[in-house]
Amino acid sequence: MAVTKEIESFPTQSSGVDVTHIEHSGPESPARPQIPYAEHGALIDRTTTFLEAPKSPELAWPRLRRQFKDPFSEFLGTFILIMFGDGVVAQVVLSNGTRGSYQSISWGWGLGVMLGVYTAGISGAHLNPAVTFANCVFRKFPWKKFPIYTLAQTLGAFCASGVVFANYRSAITAFEGGPHLLTVPGYSANATAGIFCTYPAAFMSTTGQFFSEFIASALLMFCIY
């Protein structure tokens, strides 16, 4: 059975020259010319990623995205985490428990962590300055990355909190009792600041607060490691 050879040439914009591909074909296997850089990616052929794709030297955004891919990854991962976490707390608190419960908050935060880790996988998904710090100390993570990771995580958390606040602004106003009332736990029965951060109980000392956070962070890193 005869086997024929078909030669196809395809010009590429990235190199400006013709690339010749030789495909073997026969009656059972029609010719399938390979177009360079045509629709490649992890979800298509699972052999290349966007990091291996041809770069356009004249475009600033691809270069910026490649250079700062880790901070962008941490920003987006932390953003997703806080969006789910603060969002579910806002839903439960502002509805006086009629649209959820403590279980809802626990599941919401758990799913937020999971999806945040999936989102920020390319950078290691630290999502927390304490995690980055511990990796620098114990796992030889580059210290030069610690400031930019911390900045990206902090910005991601604040931006997500801002989106949650804007989304629930009307509900917060109604819950607090006025358009300019924003109170913290311990000073108001309708405080909403607890949606976005935690406040110590009145009986907690500064030393007790420190050890509470230290023990929680130590357990977090132990489970991660």
Side-chain angles (χ1 to χ4, degrees):
M1 187 177 295
V3 177
T4 62
K5 294 183 179 180
E6 181 178 0
I7 301 177
E8 297 279 349
S9 296
F10 299 92
T12 60
Q13 295 179 352
S14 58
S15 62
V17 297
D18 290 346
V19 178
T20 301
H21 294 269
I22 301 177
E23 285 291 321
H24 297 275
S25 63
E28 298 84 3
S29 176
R32 294 190 302 271
Q34 298 293 316
I35 303 176
Y37 308 129
E39 296 295 324
H40 288 297
L43 298 179
I44 299 173
D45 55 17
R46 301 186 181 277
T47 59
T48 59
T49 66
F50 78 96
L51 297 178
E52 299 169 340
K55 306 302 182 296
S56 300
E58 69 279 3
L59 298 179
W61 172 244
R63 297 199 308 270
L64 186 67
R65 185 179 63 179
R66 177 178 174 84
Q67 183 177 359
F68 294 100
K69 63 181 184 299
D70 288 343
F72 286 158
S73 175
E74 288 295 314
F75 175 91
L76 291 174
T78 309
F79 184 92
I80 294 296
L81 164 63
I82 299 301
M83 276 289 295
F84 274 84
D86 283 1
V88 71
V89 174
Q91 176 179 304
V92 174
V93 171
L94 298 177
S95 67
N96 282 314
T98 62
R99 296 294 185 271
S101 63
Y102 182 77
Q103 282 283 348
S104 305
I105 294 176
S106 299
W107 280 101
W109 273 104
L111 291 172
V113 172
M114 181 187 72
L115 295 175
V117 169
Y118 288 165
T119 301
I122 193 174
S123 62
H126 294 183
L127 310 184
N128 188 331
V131 176
T132 304
F133 179 80
N135 277 284
C136 290
V137 174
F138 296 110
R139 293 295 175 91
K140 297 182 179 181
F141 189 75
W143 280 101
K144 65 180 181 180
K145 290 188 176 183
F146 178 72
I148 189 65
Y149 265 54
T150 300
L151 178 62
Q153 293 156 359
T154 304
L155 288 176
F158 271 91
C159 289
S161 298
V163 173
V164 172
F165 178 81
N167 187 49
Y168 286 93
R169 186 68 179 92
S170 298
I172 291 174
T173 298
F175 189 83
E176 288 274 13
H180 304 295
L181 295 177
L182 298 172
T183 56
V184 299
Y187 295 91
S188 170
N190 296 322
T192 56
I195 294 172
F196 305 98
C197 58
T198 57
Y199 290 85
F203 58 82
M204 288 292 291
S205 65
T206 302
T207 303
Q209 295 172 42
F210 171 81
F211 276 105
S212 176
E213 294 301 317
F214 181 86
I215 293 171
S217 298
L219 288 174
L220 171 65
M221 293 312 306
F222 180 83
C223 292
I224 290 175
Y225 285 167

